[in-house]
Amino acid sequence: MTERTGRCLCGAVSFTLAAEPLAARICWCRDCQHLAGNGTLNILVPTEALNILGNLSEHTKTADSGNAVTRQFCTVCGTHLFGKSDTRPQFRVVRAGNLDNPSSIQPSTNIWADSAPVWACLDPAMERAGKAPAPPAPPPVAQ
Ligand SMILES: [Zn+2]
Ligand SMILES: [Zn+2]
């Protein structure tokens, strides 16, 4: 696989991703709509595969799942880049729009579709979950 790179709007935070995403989903939860003004494409990655350069500020909120979710932002331009959950420290969420090549990601599912605005264009060819997605499959065992 190729290593992916990305950055925030101003470039003060950059990152590399050294593993294929475990999941790629467009999220329509209300939190994502507040963060992005729209649905967002999130990829789930193993924590150890994500290498971050730059300073991040954090905001923690209890999600609809009941878990504390911490979101991380560039301290300079405020771009939302990453998320993490207290209960699943082995995973990080990366906002795919910050990748240098967002087209390298193929989303599979619209999640929290029940809270999408009426004007949202949800691809009918993709899977759809009204609320939370099924948990990710365990990562493949190295050969
Ligand atoms: Zn920035
Ligand atoms: Zn969301």
Side-chain angles (χ1 to χ4, degrees):
M1 61 134 266
T2 50
E3 186 174 81
R4 290 180 172 85
T5 56
R7 63 179 186 88
C8 65
L9 179 65
C10 77
V13 177
S14 61
F15 61 93
T16 59
L17 198 55
E20 286 300 312
L22 303 166
R25 301 180 287 225
I26 301 172
C27 185
W28 294 94
C29 80
R30 293 294 294 139
D31 287 353
C32 283
Q33 292 184 54
H34 280 291
L35 286 161
N38 208 333
T40 63
L41 175 50
N42 301 323
I43 56 177
L44 191 69
V45 303
T47 298
E48 70 270 12
L50 178 63
N51 187 37
I52 301 168
L53 276 174
N55 295 323
L56 298 167
S57 61
E58 293 190 343
H59 177 262
T60 300
K61 181 176 187 284
T62 302
D64 289 329
S65 61
N67 298 331
V69 176
T70 298
R71 278 128 181 157
Q72 296 176 302
F73 306 81
C74 171
T75 56
V76 179
C77 70
T79 298
H80 173 44
L81 290 126
F82 312 111
K84 56 185 178 180
S85 169
D86 286 2
T87 54
R88 295 191 302 170
Q90 69 273 37
F91 300 128
R92 295 289 286 271
V93 170
V94 177
R95 296 291 191 186
N98 294 314
L99 290 168
D100 292 326
N101 181 12
S103 293
S104 71
I105 302 295
Q106 181 59 53
S108 64
T109 312
N110 277 288
I111 61 172
W112 294 96
D114 288 354
S115 48
V118 291
W119 44 258
C121 298
L122 273 58
D123 184 347
M126 284 170 49
E127 291 173 50
R128 184 181 300 205
K131 296 193 186 305
V141 176
Q143 299 296 311

